[in-house]
């Protein structure tokens, strides 16, 4: 398994991992708020408060590179971005720097489908790790604003937004995870729609090597349940499973008395996972109709369409 050839990100650099889908036009966008500053008094207070929770060595290890980078830039509020391309199995494939500095108030959009082709990679499903040079100077180092992912099919557009963070994830250095619980209260399995879950086994450690093995429960309104193993998710990889993949074709009859609706609860001990909820058409094309990060709000649209 090929891993990153060099340090792909520094501890203070916000990042997040996102999927691309073969056959879709996949676009990544970001807008930098006009109010963004590299450093100010408010964030300095939060920074100090967060550092006091760590021992001296860990605080210096985290803060040193960040302040050196800010000093070299003259405390510039401009941001740089880079993108790492991984296979769905977590194998490192390529890196591309986003050209030029981006000032507060600026925005950009990248056609990831075109980028993948320019890198000489075959058309298939991939993962992208987006990294920004610095975030808000608080304890979480969050991105000043949200990334937007847009997926364009020939007759549909699906969008979700999420932020980037620099906090330790699945690393064990500063934070240990009790486990992951993901709840999707509006699962559909009908003649028209089938819901999917995508789980991403991400980490702030580029050398992360722990495979995740979640399990899922499908619950209908009367409390009856189906249980299934989600399957293994490789380190820095991702897996999408429809409710049919998980629970078999009997899921349609199981949910039919309740309008094809149910709730999934997915758990995994010892790790934290990123979760996406997808709504697809129930035909050979499996058209991506909706996608949402962690929250099932996009499925409200399906509920409205069925009433």
């Amino acid at each position: 398994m090929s891993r990153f050839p060099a340090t792909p990100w520094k501890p203070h650099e916000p990042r997040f991992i996102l999927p691309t889908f073969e056959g879709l036009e996949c676009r990544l966008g970001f807008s930098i708020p006009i109010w963004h500053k590299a450093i100010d008094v408010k964030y300095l207070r939060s920074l100090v408060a967060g550092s006091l929770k760590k021992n001296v060595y860990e605080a210096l290890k985290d803060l040193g590179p960040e302040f050196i980078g800010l000093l070299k830039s003259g405390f510039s509020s401009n941001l740089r971005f880079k993108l790492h391309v991984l296979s769905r199995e977590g194998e490192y494939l390529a890196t591309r720097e986003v050209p030029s500095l981006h000032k507060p108030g600026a925005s950009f959009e990248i056609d990831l489908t075109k980028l993948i082709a320019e890198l000489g990679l075959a058309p298939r499903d991939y993962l992208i790790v987006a990294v920004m040079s610095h975030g808000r100077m608080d304890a979480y180092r969050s991105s000043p604003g949200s990334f937007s992912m847009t997926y364009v099919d020939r007759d549909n557009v699906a969008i979700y937004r999420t932020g980037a963070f620099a906090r330790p994830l699945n690393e064990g250095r500063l934070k240990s995870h009790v486990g992951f619980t993901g709840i999707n209260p509006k699962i559909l399995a009908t003649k028209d729609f089938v819901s999917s879950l995508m789980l991403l086994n991400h980490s702030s450690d580029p050398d992360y090597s722990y495979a995740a093995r979640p399990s899922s429960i499908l619950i209908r309104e009367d409390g009856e349940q189906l249980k299934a193993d989600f399957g293994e998710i490789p380190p820095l990889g991702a897996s999408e499973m429809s409710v049919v993949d998980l629970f078999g074709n009997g899921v349609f009859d199981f949910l039919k008395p309740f309008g094809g609706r149910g709730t999934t609860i997915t758990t995994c001990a010892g790790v934290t996972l990123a979760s996406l909820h997808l709504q697809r058409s129930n035909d050979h094309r499996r058209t991506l109709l909706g996608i949402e990060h962690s929250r099932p709000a996009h499925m409200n649209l399906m509920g409205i369409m069925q009433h």
Side-chain angles (χ1 to χ4, degrees):
M1 178 69 71
S2 174
R3 289 299 180 188
F4 297 102
T7 303
W9 54 76
K10 298 174 183 176
H12 64 272
E13 293 179 326
R15 65 244 161 214
F16 87 105
I17 188 168
L18 58 109
T20 66
F21 298 95
E22 180 182 356
L24 300 186
E25 179 183 319
C26 306
R27 294 183 172 274
L28 171 67
F30 188 78
S31 297
I32 306 172
I34 193 69
W35 50 258
H36 171 62
K37 295 181 180 179
I39 192 168
D40 65 20
V41 174
K42 175 184 176 183
Y43 294 144
L44 270 177
R45 291 197 194 104
S46 298
L47 186 67
V48 171
S51 299
L52 291 175
K53 299 177 183 178
K54 309 171 186 176
N55 62 49
V56 175
Y57 172 76
E58 292 292 352
L60 290 176
K61 184 178 178 181
D62 283 351
L63 297 180
E66 186 168 13
F67 276 112
I68 290 172
L70 286 170
L71 283 170
K72 287 182 178 179
S73 70
F75 292 96
S76 171
S77 296
N78 298 335
L79 298 176
R80 290 187 181 275
F81 297 83
K82 58 184 173 183
L83 307 174
H84 303 295
V85 184
L86 309 178
S87 71
R88 287 286 179 92
E89 292 72 41
E91 180 183 8
Y92 169 79
L93 299 172
T95 296
R96 173 65 63 88
E97 299 273 351
V98 178
S100 73
L101 285 169
H102 297 272
K103 300 179 179 180
S107 62
F108 66 84
E109 185 177 64
I110 299 171
D111 186 337
L112 296 177
T113 307
K114 181 179 178 181
L115 170 66
I116 288 167
E118 291 174 350
L119 292 170
L121 300 174
R124 60 180 60 139
D125 298 340
Y126 291 100
L127 296 173
I128 305 292
V129 182
V131 183
M132 63 195 323
S133 55
H134 63 83
R136 294 169 43 167
M137 290 287 290
D138 57 18
Y140 298 103
R141 306 299 199 286
S142 59
S143 57
S146 296
F147 288 88
S148 63
M149 277 302 304
T150 304
Y151 302 99
V152 183
D153 201 351
R154 66 188 185 193
D155 53 8
N156 193 70
V157 177
I159 301 172
Y160 80 93
R161 296 174 63 85
T162 189
F165 299 89
R167 58 180 178 239
L169 292 171
N170 291 332
E171 185 175 337
R173 181 172 63 91
L174 297 176
K175 180 181 180 181
S176 60
H177 300 291
V178 174
F180 165 81
T181 300
I183 301 175
N184 186 351
K186 288 195 176 180
I187 286 291
L188 291 177
T190 71
K191 65 181 182 64
D192 297 314
F193 308 113
V194 172
S195 299
S196 290
L197 308 175
M198 177 179 285
L199 300 179
L200 301 93
N201 187 14
H202 58 164
S203 175
S204 54
D205 179 6
D207 296 319
Y208 179 58
S209 59
Y210 185 84
R213 297 172 179 83
S215 59
S216 296
I217 299 173
L218 175 63
I219 307 172
R220 64 186 193 185
E221 190 174 321
D222 64 354
E224 290 294 311
Q225 301 181 6
L226 296 177
K227 298 181 180 181
D229 291 328
F230 192 89
E232 183 175 287
I233 308 172
L236 301 176
S239 177
E240 178 186 350
M241 297 286 282
S242 74
V243 289
V244 179
D245 297 329
L246 282 170
F247 304 105
N249 286 322
V251 71
F252 294 102
D253 289 335
F254 179 73
L255 294 180
K256 188 174 182 180
F258 301 93
R261 304 184 188 197
T263 296
T264 56
I265 301 176
T266 302
T267 58
C268 190
V271 300
T272 186
L273 305 171
S275 173
L276 294 172
H277 303 148
L278 296 83
Q279 205 70 278
R280 291 187 179 275
S281 60
N282 186 15
D283 55 25
H284 70 283
R285 290 189 58 209
R286 297 183 69 244
T287 301
L288 181 62
L289 302 172
I291 184 169
E292 178 61 34
H293 180 256
S294 297
R295 298 167 303 276
H298 73 283
M299 296 189 180
N300 292 339
L301 175 61
M302 295 297 103
I304 293 171
M305 292 174 63
Q306 289 193 338
H307 282 83

